[in-house]
Every structure is written in C-alpha cells, then in structure tokens.
Amino acid sequence: MSDVGSDEFDDERSKHGEYEGDRNEAGERHGVGKAVLPNGDIYQGQYENGRRHGQGTYRFKNGARYVGDYYQNVKHGQGTFYYPDGSKYEGSWVEELRQGHGVYTYPNGDTYDGEWLHHTRHGQGVYHYKETGSEYKGSWVNGKMESAGEYIHSNHRYKGNFVNNNPYGQGKYVFDTGCEQHGEYHQAEQDRAEGKWGELASTTVLRWIPKCITGLTPWTPAKDTSGGEKETASAEEGAEN
C-alpha cells in the first residue's frame, strides 16, 4: 500500500477537487485550508504558495492517515502514519520515506524502535516480540539483523554476530543462573524437496558448537592506586560499552 499522498488535481490549474481555506494575493492556497481530492483523499492543514507545507493531516480513502510535518508537498520532518492493517509508524520522515529515528508498531503487536533509512530498518535498533516477550537489540542493515547484536529472553540472552537475521560465528549465552556458555554458530544449507517449479529449495540450518562454560563477573567498585574508585565489569558488560 502506498503511503504517498496524491498530487494529481491538487492545484488550481486542473479546476478539479474542492478547497476551502486561506489564499495568498496570487490566489494560491496559502495558510490553513482543507482540500478534498477527486480520488477521495482529504488533506487538512497548512499550505504555502499552493503546496502542503507545515503541519497537516492527510486522510487516504482506504483508511490510512498521516498526521505530521510537510515540506513542499511531501512528508518531511516528524509525523505519524496509521496504516489500514492496524500498524503504525511514529518518527522521522525524509522526502516521503521513513528515515532517521522512529517506532513502528506491527499488526501483531511487535515493535521496532530504532534507526531507519529509505523506509527500511537500518542502523541501531530494538525489535520487541510481543508474543514471547523476547527482543533483539543491535545492528540492522537493509532491514535485516547484521553484525553485532543481542537476543534477550526471559531467563537468558545470547550475544554475538548476526548474518542475514541469524547468529553466526563466535558468541555466548548468558544465563540468569550465573554462568556463560561460549561457542560458535555455524550455518549450513540443507536441500529440501523439489519446489513448485521443480527446483530444489534450500533452507539455512544453524548449529551451535559449545566451547566452554565460565562464571559471571559481577559489577563491583574497586579502588585504584590514585585513591579514587573505579568500576570493574565482566567481559560481557565491558563489551557493551
């Protein structure tokens, strides 16, 4: 579903659509007004020299709605988009695209709170799974979990590197019982039955290879030689800084 507002007929040259509101000396829409477009969309808010500019609300005929900033007829700045499927994005927009920091609430209740680039999760962010209460916190590249990240569950967490949404390489499980299990994840493709068009479909299989188990080192204040106090941390906590 497109979340781009209609520009068609949204000018005086077309002589179509309805508009009520302020105008400038040139007769252009300027100030505060309401436009009803021929396709059924409705915009109510600020205009500048004939274009949507400033704060406004754009209601799509399919039930979607955008409330926020406009710049020269495009969503740009801070705004909230309500989608017909019940999902919602609240955050930064750059030329019609989700970009910068924003929070997306999905139809199933999951949420992503983090950075966006070109409408896609990209940068640092936290994805929370409503059904399980688990969450992933770490790096995203083009919508996928990549590089350093952490899966956090109710009684343990996994920290390591991720490739294409899956853990890969060295990492460790940290348990609430007070121990850490270090190891490596390996990925291997396994052939499955022939697909719809006769080709062999494959799936990625993850294999965890444990190396060793160690205890946790708690946060404790420690005296340094200068007489002041400093904090010491476990390797887990130090790696997070």
Side-chain angles (χ1 to χ4, degrees):
M1 194 281 297
S2 173
D3 51 19
V4 178
S6 174
D7 290 328
E8 187 178 9
F9 305 118
D10 199 18
D11 57 62
E12 296 305 312
R13 293 174 300 175
S14 64
K15 305 300 181 184
H16 291 285
E18 301 176 4
Y19 173 76
E20 295 180 359
D22 302 330
R23 296 178 183 271
N24 59 16
E25 294 180 355
E28 299 171 318
R29 301 172 187 182
H30 190 90
V32 178
K34 177 181 179 181
V36 179
L37 284 71
N39 68 353
D41 294 350
I42 299 174
Y43 172 77
Q44 186 168 6
Q46 295 177 315
Y47 280 88
E48 183 176 281
N49 300 325
R51 293 177 174 268
R52 298 186 291 272
H53 191 91
Q55 285 284 318
T57 298
Y58 194 107
R59 301 176 185 274
F60 296 77
K61 63 180 179 180
N62 63 4
R65 175 166 51 100
Y66 172 79
V67 181
D69 296 330
Y70 275 91
Y71 181 83
Q72 296 295 307
N73 246 25
V74 299
K75 294 187 288 293
H76 190 93
Q78 295 295 309
T80 302
F81 200 103
Y82 302 87
Y83 295 87
D85 61 4
S87 59
K88 178 181 72 172
Y89 172 80
E90 183 175 8
S92 177
W93 296 79
V94 175
E95 297 181 352
E96 295 286 351
L97 301 177
R98 298 187 291 270
Q99 189 159 315
H101 180 266
V103 179
Y104 199 111
T105 302
Y106 296 86
N108 64 356
D110 290 357
T111 59
Y112 171 79
D113 184 342
E115 296 175 300
W116 295 77
L117 181 66
H118 302 317
H119 246 27
T120 304
R121 298 187 295 267
H122 190 93
Q124 293 296 308
V126 178
Y127 192 102
H128 180 80
Y129 299 85
K130 182 180 179 181
E131 183 177 356
T132 63
S134 301
E135 66 181 25
Y136 169 83
K137 179 170 64 175
S139 177
W140 298 77
V141 177
N142 296 325
K144 295 183 178 181
M145 306 170 194
E146 295 279 350
S147 190
E150 187 174 12
Y151 258 130
I152 303 172
H153 304 282
S154 60
N155 58 0
H156 71 281
R157 54 194 170 122
Y158 172 81
K159 186 171 184 178
N161 287 321
F162 288 76
V163 174
N164 195 27
N165 283 334
N166 293 310
Y168 181 78
Q170 294 184 350
K172 64 180 178 180
Y173 282 94
V174 181
F175 298 92
D176 291 351
T177 55
C179 66
E180 298 177 351
Q181 184 184 70
H182 299 251
E184 292 185 11
Y185 264 110
H186 289 188
Q187 296 182 8
E189 286 192 351
Q190 287 188 350
D191 290 336
R192 294 189 292 178
E194 287 189 358
K196 180 178 179 181
W197 305 108
E199 77 281 3
L200 284 177
S202 63
T203 183
T204 299
V205 177
L206 299 177
R207 182 185 177 193
W208 171 248
I209 303 177
K211 299 289 185 180
C212 64
I213 296 178
T214 64
L216 296 176
T217 304
W219 286 87
T220 55
K223 297 284 185 178
D224 61 19
T225 55
S226 63
E229 287 193 349
K230 64 180 181 179
E231 288 186 333
T232 59
S234 67
E236 169 73 17
E237 292 161 326
E240 293 178 351
N241 295 331

